[in-house]
Amino acid sequence: MICFPELCVHGYNRERAGAAAEAIPGESSLAISRLARENGLVILAGMAENSGPKGSLPFNTQLVAHPDGRLEKYRKTHLGKSERPFFQPGGSFPVFATEKARFAVEICWDLHFPEVTAIYSLKGAEIIFAPHASPAYVGDRKDVWLKYLPARAYDNSLFVAACNLTGEDGGQSFCGGAVIIDPKGNVLAESFPGKEDLLVADLDLTRLEEVRRVWPFYR
C-alpha cells in the first residue's frame, strides 16, 4: 500500500482546483488504477474531483485504487477556512478493505477533529492514512504532528500513517515529511529530510490485536 499527499495529482493550487477537477473514473484515476493493477498495489492519491453540475465546487478527494481494478474514494469532510471558497465538503466516512487490513483516510484538517478517528475505529479501521498539504509557514511537521497524531492512534488503538507535500506549488512552499504511529502512540518510522522521500514500514496487525485485547477502550 502506498499513500501520496493531499491533492498530489493536480497540485495544491486551490484557485485552479475547479478547472483541474476530474470525474472518477476519469483520465487520472484510470491511469492510477492501471499502475495499481500492474504493480499489485493499493494506491492512495489526492486529486480534485468534479462534483457534477457545472459551476459547483469540486471535492478534495483521496482516490483509492486497488490491484483488482476497484476505484474507491474519500472526500475531505472538514475543510480549512482558506479551502471553503474552492471546495465543498464530503459527507461520509468510508472504511476500505483489502485482504490484509481495513483502513480509512483523513485528509489534513480532518485529523484535528478526534471524533472522526473514533468513528473509523468503531467501524473497524486498523490504519488511518493521513495525506497532508501543509505549507512550510505553519511550522515543522514533526513538531506539529507529534502533538496530536499519537493521541489519535493511542485513543483508538490503530496505526496512523501521515505524509505531506514537498516543494513549491501554487505560490506556496511545502515542507514534506512522513511519520507512522503505532497503536500505543509510539513513532514506528519517520522521515523529515525537507525533500521528496519514501518512508517504508511493515505494520504488524497482531500487535494491534494485542493492544485492543488488553486495552479495549477504543470501543
Side-chain angles (χ1 to χ4, degrees), residues 116-168:
V116 177
T117 312
I119 289 170
Y120 282 137
S121 182
L122 289 168
K123 293 177 74 171
E126 297 163 313
I127 309 165
I128 299 294
F129 286 101
H132 284 65
S134 295
Y137 69 80
V138 303
D140 177 69
R141 281 296 88 197
K142 182 176 181 179
D143 180 62
V144 175
W145 279 346
L146 294 186
K147 287 180 169 65
Y148 62 95
L149 293 187
R152 303 295 173 267
Y154 180 86
D155 288 346
N156 298 284
S157 299
L158 40 67
F159 292 96
V160 174
C163 61
N164 188 37
L165 279 178
T166 187
E168 303 288 330

Side-chain angles (χ1 to χ4, degrees), residues 30-202:
L30 290 175
I32 294 168
S33 179
R34 183 174 62 253
L35 289 172
R37 295 195 307 273
E38 291 174 351
N39 294 280
L41 290 170
V42 176
I43 300 177
L44 292 81
M47 61 183 291
E49 180 195 357
N50 193 318
S51 59
K54 186 176 180 180
S56 58
L57 296 176
F59 295 104
N60 182 335
T61 296
Q62 195 76 7
L63 176 74
V64 179
H66 295 268
D68 62 4
R70 283 181 295 144
L71 284 176
E72 298 183 291
K73 58 194 174 184
Y74 166 72
R75 294 166 169 170
K76 188 174 185 178
T77 54
H78 294 75
L79 300 173
K81 184 178 180 180
S82 63
E83 296 175 321
R84 293 171 195 162
F86 306 105
F87 297 98
Q88 61 175 299
S92 62
F93 301 97
V95 173
F96 309 104
T98 71
E99 292 181 359
K100 294 185 176 181
R102 292 171 57 83
F103 67 93
V105 178
E106 297 182 50
I107 301 176
C108 200
W109 194 239
D110 289 331
L111 273 295
H112 290 279
F113 299 86
E115 296 83 359
V116 177
T117 312
I119 289 170
Y120 282 137
S121 182
L122 289 168
K123 293 177 74 171
E126 297 163 313
I127 309 165
I128 299 294
F129 286 101
H132 284 65
S134 295
Y137 69 80
V138 303
D140 177 69
R141 281 296 88 197
K142 182 176 181 179
D143 180 62
V144 175
W145 279 346
L146 294 186
K147 287 180 169 65
Y148 62 95
L149 293 187
R152 303 295 173 267
Y154 180 86
D155 288 346
N156 298 284
S157 299
L158 40 67
F159 292 96
V160 174
C163 61
N164 188 37
L165 279 178
T166 187
E168 303 288 330
D169 187 32
Q172 295 189 85
S173 177
F174 298 88
C175 55
V179 66
I180 301 172
I181 312 293
D182 76 8
K184 290 296 289 181
N186 301 307
V187 174
L188 181 63
E190 62 180 73
S191 175
F192 294 92
K195 60 182 181 180
E196 287 189 3
D197 196 19
L198 179 65
L199 178 64
V200 180
D202 292 322

Side-chain angles (χ1 to χ4, degrees), residues 9-27:
V9 173
H10 306 298
Y12 193 76
N13 187 325
R14 291 164 296 195
E15 291 82 358
R16 198 175 61 218
E22 298 182 34
I24 298 176
E27 182 179 358

